[in-house]
Amino acid sequence: MTLSTRRQAKRAARREARRALPLWRRMLPTWRITLGTLTTLLLLAVGAFAVLYVIVPVPDPNAHAVAQNNIYLYADGTTEIARTGAVNRTDVTIDQIPLQTQQAVVSAEDRTFYQNRGIDLKGMLRAGWNTLLGKGMQGGSTITQQYVKNYYLTQDQTFERKGRELFIALKVDQQRSKNEILAGYLNSSYFGRGAYGIQSAAHAYYGIDVSQLTLGQGAYLASLLQAPSLYDVRTATPANREKAVARWNYALDGMVQLGFLTTADRNASTFPEPIDPQPATGLAGQAGYLVGVADDYLISSGTIDAATLKAGGWRITTTFEKPKQDAFVKAVQDELTGELDPKARPTTDTDVRVAGASVDPATGRVVAVYGGSDYAKQPFNDALRQDNQIGSTFKPIDLAAGLIAQHTVDGRPITTETRYDGTSERPVTGGPTPYAPPNEDGVDYGNITLRYAMVKSVNSVYAQEGVDAGLARVRDTAVRLGIPDSVRGMDPANTSMTLGTATPSALDLAGAYATLANHGQAHTPWSVQKLERVNPGGAVDVPKMPDHRATDAVGRNIADSVTDVLRDVVSPRGTGAAALDLGRPAAGKTGTTDANLSAWFVGYTPELTTAVGLFRENPKSHAKEPLAGTAGLTRINGGAFPTKIWTDYMTAALSGTPTQQFDLQTGRTDPGPDSWPTTGAPTSSSPSPTPSTAVTAAPATTPGHAPSAPAATDQPAPGPRPTAPSPQNPQPTPSQEQPSPSSRPTQTRPARPSEPPTATAGPSGTAGSPAPVR
């Protein structure tokens, strides 16, 4: 038998053997077919890779080198706010950068930099897998790839750009030394504060030349590369400050692992606090604050990343309305600045700061903010900071949570007319931690309704009501309304949470109250309506803006019931009486924190919601200082300067617009237009009296009532009792945050001593330990 015949016989035998196999087995390819297919695919892949490597060129540097300014516009689309975005960069050689700074960057960003060939296959595979799992476009880039992206390509998160980046990175790694690549990366990277390149970053964060950077300083700048805007510890939220410090520790620990640093030197390192941000040219006055709010929104919403935004060339149309913005500034100057005398009272009338934000509740548009007196002198944006406790402005959230719960833990219905013991320093029962908060001036109110307790801001009542509603439910309600779940002071493990240890920003707080004004429909406040950039070639970039559809936060009857109660706060007998000068239907709540470290008023009409906060801060240590003594007053309550600023601003902002009535669905008969007081006639109306028994119906169907006098109890509480309000007796009683009816806040005697929260360490420092707040 010839060789050919034997081969044919073997093939025939194999075919016969395969025919004898079950159908499912015959459907599987043989090992010869599998091996041949894989070999062919591998050869094709190698060939395609070789072809792409040859045909993909190393391009010229991108247009970033000639980046344009960003132009920020008011809501009208024509009035300019500011121009920013000119690239702040000075290139340096690798020899000018301290070796430990170079090593810190390698440790933080690419620990295989000196060994890899420009790409990290393991990191790329991990990133690709996460992308396929739907976690968004992932990183995995080496320092060489990041340099290629910064210098030659764009920040677009596309597969096409990532593919080009890979081939160019391989070529660049072959054509240039590691030192050249590292220098190029450090000169082209964005570090925050408008600083491109390590030299500009050294000046921006430490006021020194790059060659003078210490180990700790270099490691911090290396840490910034991951999230430059979020990790600036002088302006970051408390949570982001922790992440920045953790990233700094990660860089130093990596240097030890890579053999760049000894354990002893690592342990001797302390975190190097950077200097305060220095204002950019052209951002004086309010411009810098408005730009900051717009930038924060664009980046936090994922519309655009920080590096692409700072590269410039964008035309940004914001939601800010210039007439309202000017009115906010004028209100602060007229109602507060004019009352301060720093020369006569240098220890109390200096460093007084205002945080403010105004939101359209129907849409969530931010129409005005007040971040400080002048960005050129004070570059911290107080409208966005999250380190001031909000005090009693949290009580409406307690009430909303109670109305959602419907019943106390012992089965009693919770409505706006449910009665509680208003005795000062009454121990809270059922809370996770002991708590017995005093009322303002130690006033005992006896058996009063939740409505009356809101009007007088009675601490003992709402501390207990919040526990009855469930502290976890209170926190959930706050988050649903719009308070970020990341803010400090909302821990259900602390009973004091009920009285406002939370530290949302003025913008956060305005957004939460806007949800109440919008009948329980929540909008996350937004500040940019249009974003576009014309490229050198003529193409126009128009990123997709986020959707602004409302979400169901709480039921309408819940939100409207809270609004109904807050209308009574803005009454002759309420702590927000000064807001009556607005002459329109309004609802709101005052807040004064323990030790008088901050004071607030947050209020709304049917068409506009505004938050105003007041505090003092040491300009060097950034520690909070008491407001007591400001403008010569013993105590500054939320019903004083904050309410007056709010009223002045809202009067101007709403001037010329028709007066709208609240459209509430609570079961309560709404007062007619003539029953609302107008300027100069604060006692033109009086609510009906409250029944002496607690209401037992659900909030949606319970007839609403005005604040009632404390009902008689079997055991009268000691101390002064409030006088029942009536049309004949509208004057305020000594109570929580009660303002004087005069045109200017008057002195009040100091609040009862209580445990003050710890002062913060800076604008990004954490809030103090939970403490009684008012």
Side-chain angles (χ1 to χ4, degrees), residues 669-758:
T669 302
D670 292 334
D674 295 337
S675 68
W676 281 96
T678 57
T679 304
T683 62
S684 62
S685 65
S686 176
S688 60
T690 301
S692 59
T693 58
V695 176
T696 58
T701 59
T702 299
H705 299 284
S708 66
T713 59
D714 294 335
Q715 295 180 346
R721 298 288 295 276
T723 304
S726 69
Q728 293 77 30
N729 186 30
Q731 61 266 38
T733 59
S735 64
Q736 167 71 19
E737 301 172 337
Q738 183 63 53
S740 167
S742 64
S743 60
R744 164 187 164 88
T746 57
Q747 296 190 21
T748 58
R749 64 191 181 92
R752 290 165 63 94
S754 57
E755 181 184 351
T758 304

Side-chain angles (χ1 to χ4, degrees), residues 6 62 88 94 128 551 621:
R6 286 198 300 271
N62 60 38
N88 173 26
I94 195 68
T551 59
S621 67

Side-chain angles (χ1 to χ4, degrees), residues 395-396 398-408 410-420 448-454 461-462 465-466 468-469 557-558 560-562 564-565 666 668 690-691 693-706:
K395 287 174 182 171
D398 295 327
L399 177 59
L403 297 179
I404 293 171
Q406 298 186 357
H407 292 85
T408 64
D410 60 1
R412 291 190 304 127
I414 298 180
T415 75
T416 59
E417 313 308 319
T418 300
R419 292 182 176 273
Y420 275 82
I448 57 175
T449 65
L450 285 175
R451 180 184 298 275
Y452 188 77
M454 186 73 74
V461 167
Y462 275 95
E465 186 272 343
D468 288 347
N557 66 309
I558 302 296
D560 286 0
S561 294
V562 175
D564 185 45
V565 171
T666 65
R668 180 187 185 193
T690 301
T693 58
V695 176
T696 58
T701 59
T702 299
H705 299 284

Side-chain angles (χ1 to χ4, degrees), residues 129-382:
W129 178 251
N130 288 335
T131 300
L132 291 175
L133 291 178
K135 298 180 180 180
M137 294 298 295
Q138 299 288 306
S141 299
T142 62
I143 282 178
T144 307
Q145 288 175 273
Q146 293 181 61
Y147 165 57
V148 166
K149 178 180 66 175
N150 291 341
Y151 195 69
Y152 296 108
L153 302 176
T154 68
Q155 304 293 324
D156 295 339
Q157 294 285 359
T158 64
F159 285 107
E160 186 273 339
R161 196 272 295 161
K162 291 290 291 185
R164 294 183 63 206
E165 174 186 299
L166 184 148
F167 290 104
I168 296 172
L170 288 171
K171 286 190 173 183
V172 168
D173 186 75
Q174 293 295 316
Q175 297 170 5
R176 299 189 180 183
S177 69
K178 291 292 185 180
N179 279 348
E180 288 178 310
I181 294 171
L182 185 58
Y185 172 65
L186 290 175
N187 281 323
S188 62
S189 295
Y190 179 64
F191 289 82
R193 298 193 182 185
Y196 285 89
I198 191 75
Q199 173 73 303
S200 296
H203 282 282
Y205 287 91
Y206 294 105
I208 59 176
D209 187 85
V210 64
S211 62
Q212 298 173 297
L213 288 172
T214 64
L215 166 64
Q217 292 169 341
Y220 176 62
L221 295 185
S223 304
L224 286 168
L225 290 166
Q226 186 182 62
S229 297
L230 297 179
Y231 287 179
D232 186 345
V233 297
R234 302 304 282 179
T235 58
T237 63
N240 284 335
R241 178 185 174 87
E242 290 181 0
K243 293 178 181 178
V245 175
R247 185 69 176 174
W248 177 79
N249 282 311
Y250 171 81
L252 291 178
D253 291 340
M255 292 179 69
V256 175
Q257 295 174 14
L258 295 172
F260 296 148
L261 187 65
T262 66
T263 302
D265 288 340
R266 163 67 183 96
N267 293 336
S269 301
T270 57
F271 185 76
E273 288 288 342
I275 62 176
D276 289 343
Q278 302 303 304
T281 305
L283 297 179
Q286 295 297 302
Y289 305 124
L290 301 182
V291 168
V293 173
D295 286 356
D296 181 77
Y297 169 72
L298 289 171
I299 296 169
S300 64
S301 65
T303 305
I304 191 172
D305 63 76
T308 304
L309 177 63
K310 292 295 183 182
W314 296 99
R315 185 178 179 88
I316 302 164
T317 304
T318 70
T319 59
F320 307 123
E321 299 178 18
K322 192 174 190 308
K324 290 183 174 63
Q325 185 63 38
D326 292 344
F328 219 142
V329 175
K330 187 175 185 299
V332 174
Q333 292 173 341
D334 291 349
E335 298 296 339
L336 175 65
T337 308
E339 301 293 336
L340 302 178
D341 191 347
K343 292 183 179 180
R345 295 182 291 270
T347 60
T348 61
D349 283 18
T350 55
D351 309 315
V352 181
R353 299 165 73 150
V354 174
S358 190
V359 175
D360 175 3
T363 63
R365 290 165 55 99
V366 184
V367 298
V369 296
Y370 189 90
S373 59
D374 186 350
Y375 188 79
K377 299 177 181 178
Q378 178 207 303
F380 297 113
N381 194 333
D382 292 332

Side-chain angles (χ1 to χ4, degrees), residues 388-402 454 457 459 462-463 465-467 470-484 487-492 494-504 509 512-513 516 562 566 588-593 600-602 737 773-774:
N388 287 306
Q389 294 183 342
I390 61 172
S392 292
T393 58
F394 195 81
K395 287 174 182 171
I397 298 174
D398 295 327
L399 177 59
M454 186 73 74
S457 201
N459 289 336
Y462 275 95
E465 186 272 343
V467 170
L471 295 183
R473 180 179 285 109
V474 171
R475 174 187 168 82
D476 179 68
T477 301
V479 173
R480 286 175 174 270
L481 288 174
I483 303 297
V487 303
R488 302 298 178 88
M490 286 205 303
D491 184 359
N494 292 316
T495 309
S496 60
M497 180 189 79
T498 56
L499 298 187
T501 56
T503 60
L509 198 52
Y513 272 64
L516 297 173
V562 175
L566 296 185
K589 185 68 188 77
T590 54
T592 309
T593 63
W600 293 84
F601 183 73
V602 191
E737 301 172 337
V773 285
R774 292 184 285 278

